[in-house]
C-alpha cells in the first residue's frame, strides 16, 4: 500500500515535525524524514495511522523490522518504544549534556540500543544543536 499525502501530513503534524524516536527536528535533518511502520508490514500490519510514526532516516534505517530486543541491563526481552501507545518522557530523558538520550525504562534502553540513537555522529550533531540552544526540544505534548 502507498501512504497518501494527506496521511503523511497528519503523521508529520502529529509529531510536531520531529523524529518520534530521537526528537530531532525535520528542519535540521539533511535528508527527507520518513514514515515508519511501528509494527512492520512484513509482520502483516498495515498503513493505518495508528501504526505510523514520523522518523528521521537514521532512526528508521536502524530499526528496520525490529519490534523487540533484549534489554542490556536486565537481559529481559521487551518491545521497542511505540509512539502511538507510549509517552516519550516516560521512557527517555536527556543527560546533562542535553544531547545524550538516556533510557529510563527497559523499553527506552532497547530502543536506544536498536536504533543506535547515541551513535557518535548523532551525538555530535545533537551536541552542536544543544550548544546553540536548538536541542533538546520542549516536549510539551498538549
Amino acid at each position: 500500500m502507498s501512504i497518501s499525502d494527506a496521511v503523511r501530513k497528519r503523521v508529520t503534524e502529529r509529531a510536531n515535525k520531529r523524529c518520534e524516536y530521537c526528537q530531532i527536528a525535520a528542519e535540521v535533518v539533511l535528508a527527507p524524514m520518513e514514515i515508519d511502520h511501528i509494527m512492520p508490514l512484513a509482520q502483516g500490519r498495515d498503513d493505518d495511522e495508528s501504526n505510523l510514526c514520523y522518523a528521521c532516516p537514521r532512526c528508521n534505517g536502524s530499526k528496520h523490522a525490529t519490534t523487540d530486543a533484549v534489554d542490556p541491563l536486565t537481559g529481559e526481552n521487551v518491545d521497542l518504544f511505540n509512539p502511538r501507545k507510549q509517552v516519550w518522557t516516560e521512557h527517555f530523558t536527556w543527560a546533562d549534556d542535553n544531547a545524550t538520550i538516556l533510557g529510563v525504562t527497559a523499553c527506552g534502553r532497547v530502543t536506544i540500543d536498536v536504533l543506535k540513537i547515541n551513535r557518535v555522529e548523532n551525538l555530535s550533531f545533537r551536541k552542536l544543536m544543544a550548544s546553540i540552544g536548538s536541542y533538546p526540544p520542549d516536549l510539551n505534548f498538549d
Side-chain angles (χ1 to χ4, degrees), residues 58 62 111-120 122 126:
R58 287 187 184 262
S62 295
T111 301
I112 288 168
D113 190 45
V114 170
L115 276 57
K116 300 176 181 81
I117 286 176
N118 289 323
R119 71 178 107 190
V120 172
N122 293 1
R126 290 196 308 261

Side-chain angles (χ1 to χ4, degrees), residues 14 20-21 36-39 45 49-53 63 67 79-88 91-92 107-108 110-111 115:
R14 177 179 65 201
E20 294 187 76
Y21 297 114
D36 174 44
H37 288 86
I38 299 164
M39 299 302 291
R45 299 305 174 109
E49 285 182 55
S50 66
N51 188 42
L52 302 176
C53 76
K63 182 178 176 272
T67 59
D79 291 338
L80 297 182
F81 175 69
N82 181 330
R84 297 290 66 77
K85 295 181 178 178
Q86 297 169 299
V87 177
W88 196 92
H91 297 277
F92 307 95
C107 171
V110 300
T111 301
L115 276 57

